């Protein structure tokens, strides 16, 4: 992101901390070839740092053990070595490598690490603006999404159906709804 982009967005220089109470890290994946299972991660943190020249950088971390699909049995399976292997890989991380304009929105490029495997990803990013906040500092809002292939990150369990297809799809849509507060 160039200085012009940072000025256009209204993000001021400094650190903006992700507010987990007003943010969501979610996902959806095809189930039984006909529907989707949705989930989220309950424990995550991160920050957006805007340098003096207006260049932003993003760093975020998710506790993989905090996966929550609303079904404890499924969540326990997702925490197992067949999926996130939370004992060995307790966190997933994202570190940005750049932001570029895309029409009225942006693309957030970066390196995503899941199960110790790092791959470049590009999130479609929408900037929702800045608000003066409620006495705790300025607040900025963002929405972002990316479609990942779970196999690219070592989540390569095969669960074929007798009639063809699989219990779980390969494509996972990750959606972020982020509210970040400017640090004083």
């Amino acid at each position: 992101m160039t200085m012009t982009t940072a000025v256009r967005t209204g993000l001021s220089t400094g650190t903006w901390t992700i507010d987990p109470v007003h943010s969501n890290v979610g996902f959806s994946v095809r189930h039984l070839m006909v529907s989707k299972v949705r989930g989220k991660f309950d424990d995550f943190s991160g920050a957006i740092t805007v340098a003096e020249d207006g260049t932003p950088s993003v760093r975020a971390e998710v506790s993989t053990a905090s996966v929550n699909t609303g079904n404890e049995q499924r969540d326990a399976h997702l925490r197992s070595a067949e999926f996130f292997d939370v004992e060995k890989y307790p966190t997933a991380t994202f570190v940005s490598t750049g932001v570029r304009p895309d029409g009225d929105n942006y693309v957030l490029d970066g390196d995503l690490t899941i199960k110790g495997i790092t791959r470049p990803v590009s999130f479609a990013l929408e900037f929702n603006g800045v608000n003066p906040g409620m006495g705790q500092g300025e607040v900025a809002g963002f929405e972002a999404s990316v479609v990942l292939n779970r196999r690219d990150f070592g989540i390569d369990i095969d669960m074929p159906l007798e009639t063809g297809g699989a219990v779980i799809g390969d494509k996972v849509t990750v959606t972020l709804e982020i509210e970040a507060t400017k640090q004083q």
Side-chain angles (χ1 to χ4, degrees):
M1 180 184 279
T2 64
M3 181 185 281
T4 305
T5 304
V7 170
R8 190 171 73 187
T9 64
L11 283 180
S12 58
T13 301
T15 301
W16 298 75
T17 303
I18 293 173
D19 176 357
V21 174
H22 296 103
S23 300
N24 186 63
V25 175
F27 64 90
S28 65
V29 64
R30 187 73 61 196
H31 180 251
L32 296 175
M33 307 296 294
V34 297
S35 64
K36 289 186 178 178
V37 168
R38 297 181 191 286
K40 64 181 182 165
F41 293 93
D42 292 328
D43 184 10
F44 56 89
S45 62
I48 303 155
T49 304
V50 180
E52 290 294 328
D53 69 358
T55 304
S57 62
V58 178
R59 181 165 186 81
E61 186 172 280
V62 172
S63 166
T64 53
S66 73
V67 66
N68 180 352
T69 64
N71 179 289
E72 187 51 46
Q73 183 179 358
R74 178 173 47 226
D75 295 347
H77 194 200
L78 290 172
R79 290 182 191 106
S80 76
E82 290 184 311
F83 286 92
F84 290 117
D85 196 359
V86 302
E87 293 295 322
K88 190 172 180 182
Y89 305 102
T91 59
T93 60
F94 175 81
V95 178
S96 68
T97 58
V99 178
R100 52 194 158 94
D102 184 26
D104 290 339
N105 294 310
Y106 303 91
V107 175
L108 174 63
D109 296 312
D111 294 323
L112 178 63
T113 303
I114 300 172
K115 284 186 79 171
I117 299 171
T118 302
R119 298 271 190 252
V121 298
S122 296
F123 283 89
L125 176 66
E126 181 179 345
F127 175 65
N128 296 329
V130 176
N131 183 288
M134 299 176 67
Q136 304 299 316
E138 294 176 282
V139 175
F142 307 86
E143 292 180 35
S145 64
V146 66
V147 177
L148 307 173
N149 185 321
R150 65 181 174 83
R151 294 177 186 278
D152 291 345
F153 293 93
I155 303 173
D156 53 8
I157 182 173
D158 281 319
M159 298 172 68
L161 293 169
E162 291 178 18
T163 57
V167 172
I168 182 172
D170 289 344
K171 292 181 181 178
V172 179
T173 300
V174 176
T175 55
L176 309 174
E177 296 172 13
I178 302 297
E179 189 172 292
T181 304
K182 174 80 181 285
Q183 298 306 294
Q184 306 291 339

